[in-house]
Amino acid sequence: MAHDRIVVDDERALAETGAKWITDAIREAVRERGHCALALTGGDTPRPVYERLARIPGVPWIKLSIFFTDERAVPPDHPDSNYRMAFESLLSHLPIPPSQIHRMQAESDDLNEAARAYESLLPEQLDVLVLGMGADGHTASLFPYAPALGESTRRVLPVRGGDPLVQRLTITPPAIEGARRVLVLVSGADKADIVARALQEGPDDIMELPVQLARERTWILDRAAASKLSAET
Ligand code: 6PG
């Protein structure tokens, strides 16, 4: 699989380049298959990308179905809700029918049931998947050494992890590996060491560095996050 590393100067350029990459991928999916299943991640890094994306004209928004990579066990109006962040920065500005926006109901009392329900909504293949990376190498809510990293069938699972340590729902390795186009967005000097470990040293070790599930995909990094990568990576 062809990989791509795009290094940009700063947060503004990350927003610009990330939004452009996502719209190109949406247009490609709509052109080829008539619709686009887009999965959005949470965290601080994608917010400016989503805000920029919301202002790009001529995108066939109506053809989108929106999914999420993960969610903390909080209601949708909670400050820690990934849905809330995506709604405020992006979805509330777009003409996507609410019936095409599928949030993870991680506030549910029965997370197993919520995971199964979400799995049944997910298309067999996501067209476009946006991921971030934590400074410990996690992606979505797949934290280092989580049992969910060994999953080969289920595409959504309940997990417990992160800081603060909370219950969450997350997509699993099969959902990431099966996605057609995957974008990893990373910014900040605090991520530089782990970016270098994930992208340029030795064979994959998914248990230690879950983000290596997306190693061969497109990464857009700001200069600080890419500062420990060698030129040929
Ligand atoms: C979340 C995420 C998580 C995130 C990384 C990076 O809900 O927090 O889905 O995987 O992408 O933790 O987060 P930052 O962009 O805030 O560093």
Side-chain angles (χ1 to χ4, degrees), residues 41-46 69-70 72 82 132-134 138-140 168 191:
T41 200
D44 294 329
T45 313
T69 62
D70 61 319
R72 295 168 189 80
N82 286 345
M133 184 194 79
H138 80 260
T139 194
R168 300 157 178 254
K191 308 267 179 80

Side-chain angles (χ1 to χ4, degrees), residues 113-229:
E113 177 52 36
R116 289 206 181 269
Y118 204 73
E119 198 163 67
S120 71
L121 293 174
L122 272 185
E124 205 160 302
Q125 272 193 299
L126 287 163
D127 293 297
V128 185
L129 168 59
V130 180
L131 291 170
M133 184 194 79
D136 61 354
H138 80 260
T139 194
S141 283
L142 293 166
F143 293 89
Y145 297 100
L149 287 163
E151 183 60 41
S152 59
T153 326
R154 296 285 308 276
R155 293 181 301 145
V156 182
L157 282 175
V159 291
R160 190 173 160 77
D163 181 15
L165 188 66
V166 291
Q167 298 283 356
R168 300 157 178 254
L169 289 179
T170 185
I171 57 168
T172 62
I176 296 175
E177 288 163 342
R180 289 190 168 92
R181 304 279 306 270
V182 179
L183 174 63
V184 185
L185 294 166
V186 193
S187 69
D190 59 321
K191 308 267 179 80
D193 281 323
I194 207 91
V195 163
R197 282 179 56 211
L199 294 184
Q200 66 188 18
E201 283 168 23
D204 287 354
D205 185 345
I206 302 303
M207 281 291 167
E208 195 172 327
L209 291 169
V211 75
Q212 285 186 325
L213 287 163
R215 187 176 184 170
E216 300 303 322
R217 307 301 195 119
T218 300
W219 289 53
I220 303 180
L221 313 121
D222 70 3
R223 211 161 280 293
S227 59
K228 300 204 171 157
L229 282 177

